[in-house]
Amino acid sequence: METLAIVSAGVIAFAILMYVVLDGFDLGIGILFPFAPDEDARHAMINSVAPVWDGNETWLVLGGGGLLVFFPTAYSIVLPAFYIPVMAMLFALIFRGVTFEFRHSAHTSVHLWNRSFFYGSLVAAFMQGVLLGALVQGVNVEGVRYAGGMFDWLTPFSILTGIGVVAGYGLLGATWTIYKTAGKVQDWARGAAVVLGGGTLVAMTAVSVMTPLLRPAIAERWFGGLNLLYLSPVPFLTLALAIFLFWSIFTKRELAPFLSSVGLFILGFFGIAVSLYPNIIPPSVTVWDVVAPRSSIVFALIGVAVVLPMVLLYTVYAYSVFHGKASEHGGYAEHD
């Protein structure tokens, strides 16, 4: 049963990571929208994600649905604890999806939909960061029920992580724009990536310093005994990737900045996983405390084994079809 619980948690973690990376640059495009040099640049930016944005959000469904199926008790604790930020995020994502369709057909109201696209992306990204921070700092649980208040999720630390995720998604959006556009849009995106890369690293450093201070158990996980030796490569790899990110931007590489940005998110995700495991709801609810019955897990994992490869294949296929440079007029051109 312990193995099934770990596999189930791994499925949810994988889905969340895929969502953060894929929908992250998608939301980042929206965050950058008001700062683009002109309307043609905005057309090129939104065209670069138009064929794939809805598929990116599939991973959010798998992550949330997986939590309900594999760890239903955890779901019943998390939802009342984070009801306001979760609903704000979902409404922002829905509103943002509507914007995609209406902006394409709008003429006189295109500026209204531009602002809507920005605010929907900003709120969704910020709330995801707030959720992350609130989860890391811990949830007040008595038995298997949420025992905290309606606004326990709103703290200086969760606001910091919210700002950090906005900066990080903006970095993903900027580096994606570098990869998918050319000319003046690409040059502008390089400048934006430098600024947002600096902001992301500042936020990551602040969160990394504050997280062990939140609870002694996290500090022990990172610095106790041989753990310090085993986990020491993580900050060094982060520093190396940060250096590579700026080097690739200044040397005008196209794909490398995006890949290094993704690498920073993966390392950050790994760091959070190390800090929290085996707790699915810090500080005291472990994956084994709230796992679903064995028969339910086996049934769900069979479905995941069938569906997940299909989703991955479709994702790879979609990105391979639309692999060229995005144009402000629509369509894609081959790389030079």
Side-chain angles (χ1 to χ4, degrees), residues 77-99:
I77 297 172
V78 167
L79 192 59
F82 303 142
Y83 186 79
I84 293 177
V86 166
M87 294 308 296
M89 178 193 71
L90 292 178
F91 278 121
L93 290 173
I94 292 170
F95 189 65
R96 184 173 172 274
V98 172
T99 301

Side-chain angles (χ1 to χ4, degrees), residues 257-333:
F258 179 69
L259 294 180
S260 54
S261 300
V262 171
L264 287 175
F265 266 83
I266 293 174
L267 285 174
F269 188 86
F270 175 78
I272 293 170
V274 168
S275 299
L276 299 186
Y277 182 82
N279 293 319
I280 191 170
I281 303 177
S284 58
V285 181
T286 69
V287 293
W288 301 291
D289 295 329
V290 291
V291 67
R294 180 184 181 89
S295 58
S296 298
I297 295 178
V298 171
F299 180 79
L301 286 177
I302 292 173
V304 169
V306 174
V307 174
L308 187 58
M310 297 172 62
V311 175
L312 287 170
L313 287 173
Y314 172 79
T315 301
V316 172
Y317 175 74
Y319 280 88
S320 65
V321 169
F322 299 100
H323 68 280
K325 295 285 187 180
S327 166
E328 66 269 20
H329 305 296
Y332 281 73

Side-chain angles (χ1 to χ4, degrees), residues 41 89 93 102 104 171 204 223 229 263 269:
M89 178 193 71
L93 290 173
F102 277 79
H104 179 71
L171 173 63
M204 289 182 69
F223 305 114
L229 177 63
F269 188 86

Side-chain angles (χ1 to χ4, degrees), residues 12-296:
I12 295 173
F14 177 74
I16 293 174
L17 178 60
M18 289 294 291
Y19 172 78
V20 166
V21 171
L22 296 180
D23 209 36
F25 72 77
D26 188 342
L27 291 168
I29 292 293
I31 292 169
L32 292 171
F33 227 51
F35 311 102
D38 53 38
E39 198 62 32
D40 283 344
R42 282 185 276 271
H43 285 314
M45 291 165 65
I46 203 167
N47 286 338
S48 73
V49 296
V52 296
W53 73 271
D54 47 354
N56 293 342
E57 294 185 355
T58 302
W59 298 99
L60 181 62
V61 177
L62 178 58
L67 183 64
L68 175 61
V69 172
F70 293 123
F71 304 100
T73 304
Y75 187 91
S76 70
I77 297 172
V78 167
L79 192 59
F82 303 142
Y83 186 79
I84 293 177
V86 166
M87 294 308 296
M89 178 193 71
L90 292 178
F91 278 121
L93 290 173
I94 292 170
F95 189 65
R96 184 173 172 274
V98 172
T99 301
F100 261 101
E101 304 303 327
F102 277 79
R103 184 188 180 278
H104 179 71
S105 304
H107 298 286
T108 58
S109 60
V110 66
H111 297 295
L112 172 63
W113 293 113
N114 284 345
R115 288 192 291 272
S116 300
F117 187 52
F118 165 68
Y119 286 118
S121 302
L122 180 66
V123 170
F126 180 73
M127 287 303 170
Q128 288 176 20
V130 166
L131 285 166
L132 171 64
L135 183 65
V136 170
Q137 71 188 7
V139 178
N140 187 4
V141 178
E142 292 183 1
V144 289
R145 299 181 64 183
Y146 176 60
M150 183 179 294
F151 294 98
D152 283 8
W153 53 271
L154 188 60
T155 66
F157 181 74
S158 67
I159 292 173
L160 171 63
T161 54
I163 295 171
V165 168
V166 169
Y169 281 0
L171 173 63
L172 286 175
T175 53
W176 175 260
T177 302
I178 292 171
Y179 174 53
K180 297 298 289 185
T181 63
K184 64 178 182 180
V185 185
Q186 188 183 67
D187 293 337
W188 166 82
R190 287 196 179 96
V194 170
V195 174
L196 289 164
T200 301
L201 291 174
V202 169
M204 289 182 69
T205 301
V207 171
S208 298
V209 171
M210 292 181 66
T211 298
L213 299 177
L214 292 174
R215 295 200 312 275
I218 296 179
E220 178 66 22
R221 175 64 57 85
W222 280 94
F223 305 114
L226 293 177
N227 288 355
L228 179 62
L229 177 63
Y230 295 147
L231 298 175
S232 61
V234 176
F236 289 108
L237 285 174
T238 303
L239 177 61
L241 265 180
I243 294 172
F244 180 72
L245 167 66
F246 288 105
W247 174 84
S248 63
I249 293 171
F250 289 124
T251 56
K252 297 187 175 181
R253 300 299 195 272
E254 293 193 337
L255 180 58
F258 179 69
L259 294 180
S260 54
S261 300
V262 171
L264 287 175
F265 266 83
I266 293 174
L267 285 174
F269 188 86
F270 175 78
I272 293 170
V274 168
S275 299
L276 299 186
Y277 182 82
N279 293 319
I280 191 170
I281 303 177
S284 58
V285 181
T286 69
V287 293
W288 301 291
D289 295 329
V290 291
V291 67
R294 180 184 181 89
S295 58
S296 298

